[in-house]
Amino acid sequence: MKRIIILLLSFICYTVSSQTNTVGLITNSPEAYNGYTLFSPMGLGNTSTFLIDNCGYKVHEWNSSFQVALSTYLSDSGMLFRTKKTPDSGINSPSGGGGLEMLDQNSNVVWSYDYNTDIVRQHHDIEIMPNGNILILAWEKKTAQEAISQGRDPNLITNNELWPEHIIEIQPVGINEANIIWEWHVWDHLVQEFNPDLPNYGIVSEHPELFNLNYTGTSNNLEYSDWQHANSIDYNETLDQIMITSRRWNEIWIIDHSTNTEEAATSEGGNSGAGGNILYRWGNPLAYNRGDEDNRTLFFPHDAHWIQSGLPNENKIMIFNNGTNEIGSSVDIINPPLEFEGSTYILNNNIYGPESTYWSYSEPDNFFSRQISGAEQLPNGNILICSGNQGRIFEVDYNNFNIVWEYISPFTNNTGPVQQGSSPEDIANNVFRAQKFSPLFEGLSNLSLNPISPIELEPNPYNCQIYGCLNVIACNYDSSATEDNNTCTYPNDLCELENGDIGILNDNCECIENSSLIDEFSNNKSLLKIINILGKEITNTGFLLHVYDDGSVEKKYVIE
């Protein structure tokens, strides 16, 4: 079945705003995408994950025995995949996790897995793959001597160890085990120009496909063993590639997943022929000794990912660009230059393009999150943004940047929910990331989704409507809606196909090619005149031009 992207007619609308709310729901308008928002409050003692509707009412809650270790995902099967904070071991960091667990709708632990030893530790993010396997982002500890032996400058090691990134792909087994079926390590793809007598020696600027062992980031992060500080991982099934976001290097990296583990440790193999080398990097060419500060486009980024197929900007890349106090944060979309059927990326002027963003949202005076955070595009084109340091989740119109929905988490990092009326500036209410799901999302089918109550204590009474199509015979009928927003669509209405062409909804509400429209445009025209190549009207044989009233011209050669 083809994914439906409905063309919506514009309509006069108004915004319902909770003017007296300081936390919880702030704004809900008819232009907002109606759905359910998932988020997990951060902080010690916070073990809950919430699902809320567009009115800010909790419709479901999962509870765990563990503090969330940042990322949380709801799968198509309805299982909640949740990273978990396990006791510190050999790698100790506030952003360290150590494992993950899978909860059913009743918060029962169906499966769990720890990846936390003296030398490795899961951190920040995971990625649920279409085949059910899971990609885990993790550190591996290298001693100072191990790093120096590979070409690290001894003066750049201050904590006597280094934690480069690596990825494992696991296949869940039983209730608390997994098979590691693929892995990739930064440590296998290094270049250094510090010591020609040691491994990995080369000119850094000549090897953008490798990681500079002596790069310390734009802030010279010598005090951190967490050398690269990756914070997100994403997978593209069509390309069979993986994307990683590095905060400290101010870059995103793309690598080939079509390799086997042996090839992933080399520079050969896979669809790209490049093994586990970097296929594409963007944001900071200084990391590979090219360009200058003016070429830098990312500032401490998070949550880089491919926009899902079927969405308005499918297969482009969205990044939460955290920015600085001076410039604020932004949500950026870029269109990476691909060639050779998606396996190779193009260098432009010796740096990886593009030179500028395809789309960007910023609000310098009111939008800055120094850490965490993320964004995603919704089916109606709007952008859902999580400004994590403020616990602020809001939705902006893609075209005019208006805020059409806004929610501020009332859950503090350490003491639970606060009372309505509390000042957001006075509470620490961090949220790593948020996701919004359609009411038709398969993963919600086992949940009742009945509004329970706002999460904040002593909520204000307010009149909030859930906007959507109320006509039960419409293709986009929304059973959760309480007020119609004039967006109902029906069979024979126009729609947009995945390739951008105009289609038509059939009786099953599938968007199909509109042959009748094509016939109408091709047949609904009248012949005005016949001329020769000199422009003189003529009716005899030879090379003729038929001119029609729709502006088209047909060339004909007539023989009698």
Side-chain angles (χ1 to χ4, degrees):
M1 174 178 174
K2 294 185 178 180
R3 187 184 297 269
I4 303 173
I5 306 174
I6 305 300
L7 295 179
L8 302 180
L9 298 176
S10 61
F11 52 89
I12 298 174
C13 58
Y14 57 94
T15 298
V16 174
S17 180
S18 238
Q19 299 294 340
T20 56
N21 281 3
T22 59
V23 295
L25 180 69
I26 305 300
T27 299
N28 181 33
S29 72
E31 297 90 344
Y33 180 72
N34 183 34
Y36 297 95
T37 301
L38 181 80
F39 70 99
S40 296
M42 292 172 56
L44 295 173
N46 287 346
T47 59
S48 297
T49 297
F50 297 104
L51 190 69
I52 60 172
D53 64 16
N54 268 19
C55 285
Y57 275 71
K58 178 178 68 177
V59 298
H60 197 79
E61 178 179 352
W62 292 265
N63 293 290
S64 169
S65 300
F66 294 90
Q67 175 187 340
V68 68
L70 300 182
S71 63
T72 305
Y73 295 97
L74 184 62
S75 70
D76 292 348
S77 65
M79 294 294 176
L80 184 76
F81 287 83
R82 198 175 183 276
T83 55
K84 62 179 183 177
K85 195 87 158 170
T86 58
D88 287 340
S89 56
I91 299 179
N92 302 327
S93 169
S95 53
L100 61 152
E101 58 186 354
M102 180 169 64
L103 309 181
D104 66 14
Q105 68 268 28
N106 298 315
S107 299
N108 297 313
V109 180
V110 177
W111 173 83
S112 65
Y113 180 72
D114 289 354
Y115 193 64
N116 186 12
T117 70
D118 288 341
I119 59 173
V120 299
R121 188 174 189 180
Q122 177 274 333
H123 67 90
H124 282 90
D125 202 12
I126 58 174
E127 171 75 359
I128 313 303
M129 304 178 72
N131 63 2
N133 290 349
I134 303 167
L135 295 173
I136 293 180
L137 184 63
W139 294 304
E140 57 181 334
K141 182 165 65 175
K142 302 294 181 182
T143 66
Q145 186 53 47
E146 286 178 301
I148 292 169
S149 70
Q150 294 299 307
R152 177 81 169 187
D153 182 345
N155 295 319
L156 301 181
I157 300 179
T158 57
N159 291 328
N160 207 37
E161 57 190 39
L162 207 61
W163 306 345
E165 302 291 344
H166 75 286
I167 299 168
I168 61 170
E169 179 182 345
I170 63 170
Q171 182 182 58
V173 175
I175 59 173
N176 58 7
E177 296 180 339
N179 295 324
I180 299 177
I181 64 172
W182 183 86
E183 54 189 279
W184 171 88
H185 300 256
V186 161
W187 208 245
D188 294 325
H189 306 279
L190 302 175
V191 62
Q192 57 87 13
E193 54 185 49
F194 172 71
N195 190 333
D197 297 325
L198 293 176
N200 309 304
Y201 182 76
I203 304 303
V204 170
S205 62
E206 295 177 0
H207 294 282
E209 77 280 6
L210 300 175
F211 296 94
N212 180 0
L213 182 55
N214 290 299
Y215 185 65
T216 57
T218 52
S219 301
N220 289 319
N221 301 300
L222 295 183
E223 71 271 27
Y224 298 110
S225 299
D226 179 11
W227 171 45
Q228 298 170 308
H229 196 88
N231 55 52
S232 73
I233 183 170
D234 190 44
Y235 175 67
N236 186 310
E237 183 181 21
T238 302
L239 299 176
D240 205 4
Q241 295 175 359
I242 294 171
M243 187 186 306
I244 309 161
T245 312
S246 171
R247 171 182 167 83
R248 295 217 165 103
W249 285 37
N250 302 284
E251 284 191 297
I252 63 172
W253 308 317
I254 292 178
I255 61 171
D256 194 344
H257 174 263
S258 68
T259 59
N260 57 42
T261 295
E262 291 73 24
E263 292 171 332
T266 72
S267 300
E268 298 179 351
N271 295 335
S272 65
N277 284 348
I278 301 171
L279 299 181
Y280 176 73
R281 60 198 306 176
W282 191 78
N284 178 29
L286 292 174
Y288 48 100
N289 286 0
R290 294 188 183 183
D292 53 33
E293 185 66 24
D294 291 338
N295 299 122
R296 182 180 169 194
T297 51
L298 291 182
F299 299 83
F300 318 107
H302 285 74
D303 192 27
H305 61 275
W306 285 280
I307 297 175
Q308 293 182 1
S309 295
L311 296 181
N313 286 298
E314 61 180 359
N315 300 322
K316 295 181 178 67
I317 294 173
M318 179 176 288
I319 311 163
F320 191 100
N321 198 354
N322 290 71
T324 64
N325 285 307
E326 292 75 22
I327 64 175
S329 297
S330 64
V331 174
D332 300 331
I333 296 176
I334 64 171
N335 194 12
L338 277 174
E339 64 179 8
F340 300 129
E341 299 181 353
S343 63
T344 306
Y345 294 82
I346 303 170
L347 280 170
N348 184 24
N349 297 325
N350 292 320
I351 64 174
Y352 285 92
E355 295 180 354
S356 60
T357 59
Y358 177 85
W359 180 93
S360 185
Y361 170 83
S362 62
E363 191 182 348
D365 296 332
N366 195 39
F367 177 37
F368 172 59
S369 181
R370 188 174 67 88
Q371 300 167 314
I372 53 180
S373 309
E376 66 175 10
Q377 186 158 47
L378 302 173
N380 68 347
N382 290 350
I383 307 297
L384 183 75
I385 300 172
C386 176
S387 187
N389 282 144
Q390 297 79 34
R392 181 186 178 212
I393 308 168
F394 62 106
E395 185 179 330
V396 298
D397 185 291
Y398 179 84
N399 295 308
N400 59 33
F401 299 154
N402 290 337
I403 295 175
V404 296
W405 185 83
E406 184 172 4
Y407 181 88
I408 295 177
S409 171
F411 226 88
T412 67
N413 289 1
N414 300 310
T415 59
V418 299
Q419 180 177 319
Q420 182 59 260
S422 300
S423 172
E425 291 78 13
D426 296 335
I427 61 174
N429 60 342
N430 293 348
V431 175
F432 182 63
R433 204 181 293 159
Q435 296 172 282
K436 200 170 200 178
F437 298 94
S438 163
L440 302 179
F441 176 61
E442 293 179 7
L444 302 177
S445 60
N446 291 328
L447 305 180
S448 66
L449 301 178
N450 293 322
I452 300 171
S453 65
I455 297 174
E456 66 269 19
L457 304 177
E458 301 184 21
N460 288 324
Y462 57 88
N463 181 25
C464 174
Q465 302 295 331
I466 300 294
Y467 298 97
C469 172
L470 293 179
N471 193 327
V472 295
I473 66 171
C475 292
N476 59 334
Y477 168 66
D478 188 346
S479 61
S480 66
T482 58
E483 183 164 321
D484 195 90
N485 63 354
N486 300 319
T487 60
C488 292
T489 56
Y490 304 91
N492 296 320
D493 281 353
L494 298 182
C495 56
E496 184 178 343
L497 295 165
E498 291 185 6
N499 63 6
D501 292 342
I502 302 300
I504 191 168
L505 293 174
N506 66 13
D507 291 341
N508 295 321
C509 293
E510 298 169 328
C511 192
I512 62 173
E513 290 184 358
N514 190 358
S515 58
S516 61
L517 189 62
I518 295 173
D519 290 342
E520 179 181 349
F521 282 119
S522 61
N523 295 328
N524 188 21
K525 59 183 180 180
S526 300
L527 182 64
L528 291 178
K529 57 184 177 180
I530 302 174
I531 59 176
N532 61 16
I533 58 175
L534 299 178
K536 181 180 179 181
E537 288 195 38
I538 195 169
T539 58
N540 60 0
T541 60
F543 183 79
L544 308 175
L545 300 177
H546 287 216
V547 181
Y548 294 91
D549 60 358
D550 66 348
S552 62
V553 178
E554 294 179 356
K555 301 176 183 178
K556 296 186 178 183
Y557 191 84
V558 181
I559 299 176
E560 290 185 349

